[in-house]
Amino acid sequence: MGMNRFIGLALVSALIWVAAPRLTHAEELSAEQYAARAVQNVKEGKQTEAQADFDKAVELAPDKPIHYRNRAAFFALTNQWSKAIADYDNVMKLEKDDSATELNRGYAYVQLGKLDQALDDFDAVLKIQPDSDRALRYRAYIYAAQKQYPKAVDDLTKLIEKNPNDAQSYKARAKANAAQEKWDDAIADYSKALELDPKDFESLSARALAYLHAGDKDKELADLSAILETKPDDLEFLKLRAQVNYEKDQFDPAIADYSKAIGLRSDDAALYSARGFARLKKGDKSGALEDFSKAIALQPGESAYYTDRLYIYLSRGDAEKAVGDFTHLIALKPDETDLYLRRADLYLKLNKYDEARADYEKVLANDPKNVAALSGEGEVIAKRGDRRAGAAKLQQALQLASDPKDKERIQVKLREIGVGPIQ
């Protein structure tokens, strides 16, 4: 948030100390003496006694704003924000132009999430004191929280102009620029913040992400490497760097980062899948197959992993195992027609005609004019001995086909079973 944790504490510490003499039980303390004792109780951690004394001071001198200020400061110190606001209100009734109290009340409203009321207070302060650092900073915070990012940038720019060495203002402005997807401006501000505070890990991390959005992979990679020098086991940044290396076709570093990430999180199926793709890009189908299989073992309900592994099985011509993965996919997506069609084609290659025909019929039940299913079923029927019936199905498919390539394939099948296409 960039705010003082206890904005009212300064008021307590600034209290004019009144030495309270030793009194008998019969003697009564003045409001100032109760206030002085309350401050001492705060210092000693006696909060219950301190509040009682602050209450008594207010009771004895309800027309003196100092006692409301002191009690409000105590309430702020103890996070009793609603009570603090009530006392700030009383101060403002007694002293209408007290901008310090208005600033403190605005902060208390922020703590309660009442940002509109807080904004009113900070606006009022800035009308009187346009250069108030705290009011500008707090108002910028509210603007950012309300997604009024251009206004937040304006206030933060004023702060930067006043103090060009304020790393926090650059950092806050960078966040507001990033929220508007002004990546170049965000990168410039994060860079300035890092120039002023080279150990600011948060700014370095945020700049790396800004480079990611800006599409500057080289600089993103440099920042990610710098981050991982400081935090070598940071899983999220390891994954990010692995992804950048993958996108830059630097597959060995990508595999190394994914492997380290897997060492940190061995139950993360997505990491095995990602490493599998990097291995596949290197031509290591065996390694990729191992990774995709591990991903499936960890997360058997994720269809994407079966699709990944299918690519390898199909490229190897391993129809039996490919059928197995199609079967898993169909169990996960029983309404996806294309899966039945693709499994049917594999069954046909394996000469498993009953299984192939069942799948083709499943497709045709949902889509009676499906050219591929009609063609496949015709081929099955013909291969099982009924060439005429098979040819009829193929002719039906040929008449429905609009794609020249589909027509050509069907005509080839007709010739293979010894029946030429009807012109």
Side-chain angles (χ1 to χ4, degrees), residues 45-101:
K46 299 176 181 177
Q47 292 188 358
T48 302
E49 294 85 344
Q51 181 167 341
D53 283 344
F54 281 130
D55 290 344
K56 191 67 177 177
V58 169
E59 179 187 334
L60 292 174
D63 58 338
K64 293 186 177 180
I66 182 63
H67 300 307
Y68 293 106
R69 285 195 190 95
N70 290 335
R71 189 170 66 177
F74 169 77
F75 286 142
L77 178 64
T78 53
N79 296 324
Q80 300 181 69
W81 300 108
S82 294
K83 292 181 179 180
I85 288 169
D87 275 349
Y88 290 136
D89 288 344
N90 284 321
V91 173
M92 295 301 296
K93 288 175 185 175
L94 295 168
E95 293 184 359
K96 297 187 183 301
D97 295 327
D98 185 350
S99 59
T101 295

Side-chain angles (χ1 to χ4, degrees), residues 11-307:
L11 297 176
V12 174
S13 62
L15 182 68
I16 298 174
W17 297 94
V18 179
R22 293 181 180 275
L23 301 173
T24 66
H25 291 292
E27 292 179 287
E28 181 62 64
L29 299 179
S30 68
E32 289 74 17
Q33 288 170 324
Y34 275 112
R37 191 170 71 178
V39 171
Q40 188 60 37
N41 282 329
V42 169
K43 287 188 168 188
E44 294 174 4
K46 299 176 181 177
Q47 292 188 358
T48 302
E49 294 85 344
Q51 181 167 341
D53 283 344
F54 281 130
D55 290 344
K56 191 67 177 177
V58 169
E59 179 187 334
L60 292 174
D63 58 338
K64 293 186 177 180
I66 182 63
H67 300 307
Y68 293 106
R69 285 195 190 95
N70 290 335
R71 189 170 66 177
F74 169 77
F75 286 142
L77 178 64
T78 53
N79 296 324
Q80 300 181 69
W81 300 108
S82 294
K83 292 181 179 180
I85 288 169
D87 275 349
Y88 290 136
D89 288 344
N90 284 321
V91 173
M92 295 301 296
K93 288 175 185 175
L94 295 168
E95 293 184 359
K96 297 187 183 301
D97 295 327
D98 185 350
S99 59
T101 295
E102 210 155 17
L103 182 70
N104 292 341
R105 186 175 65 182
Y107 183 85
Y109 276 130
V110 169
Q111 297 303 315
L112 292 175
K114 296 181 177 181
L115 300 186
D116 289 335
Q117 293 95 318
L119 192 58
D120 288 341
D121 276 346
F122 298 142
D123 284 343
V125 172
L126 287 165
K127 284 181 182 177
I128 299 169
Q129 300 176 8
D131 293 332
S132 169
D133 283 9
R134 291 165 69 195
L136 282 169
R137 194 175 302 278
Y138 299 166
R139 189 171 70 175
Y141 163 81
I142 292 175
Y143 283 147
Q146 293 180 336
K147 299 184 179 180
Q148 299 187 64
Y149 300 116
K151 289 184 177 181
V153 168
D154 287 344
D155 278 354
L156 291 162
T157 299
K158 290 175 185 175
L159 286 169
I160 289 168
E161 288 171 352
K162 287 184 64 185
N163 182 4
N165 294 319
D166 180 4
Q168 289 303 313
S169 292
Y170 284 105
K171 188 172 175 179
R173 191 172 69 176
K175 291 178 181 178
N177 280 319
Q180 299 175 83
E181 298 186 0
K182 294 183 175 181
W183 302 116
D184 289 341
D185 291 339
I187 288 165
D189 279 342
Y190 281 129
S191 297
K192 186 63 179 179
L194 285 163
E195 179 185 321
L196 294 166
D197 183 5
K199 295 183 179 180
D200 183 358
F201 184 82
E202 184 182 357
S203 287
L204 183 62
S205 304
R207 188 176 68 176
L209 295 176
Y211 279 134
L212 168 66
H213 290 290
D216 193 333
K217 290 184 172 59
D218 289 334
K219 289 183 178 178
E220 180 193 0
L221 194 59
D223 275 358
L224 291 171
S225 294
I227 291 165
L228 289 165
E229 284 179 12
T230 303
K231 293 189 174 184
D233 293 336
D234 189 301
L235 182 61
E236 293 308 312
F237 287 107
L238 273 170
K239 291 194 290 186
L240 274 174
R241 189 171 69 176
Q243 180 63 29
V244 175
N245 277 317
Y246 180 89
E247 290 170 357
K248 287 173 64 64
D249 294 337
Q250 297 174 172
F251 302 119
D252 284 330
I255 291 167
D257 278 346
Y258 281 129
S259 296
K260 184 165 186 178
I262 287 168
L264 296 169
R265 185 69 61 81
S266 61
D267 60 347
D268 188 337
L271 289 175
Y272 288 98
S273 176
R275 188 176 68 177
F277 277 109
R279 284 177 161 174
L280 192 58
K281 285 286 188 179
K282 280 203 69 183
D284 180 8
K285 288 187 178 181
S286 296
L289 181 60
E290 180 183 331
D291 278 341
F292 294 148
S293 296
K294 182 65 176 180
I296 289 169
L298 288 169
Q299 203 170 341
E302 178 53 60
S303 61
Y305 300 145
Y306 292 101
T307 302

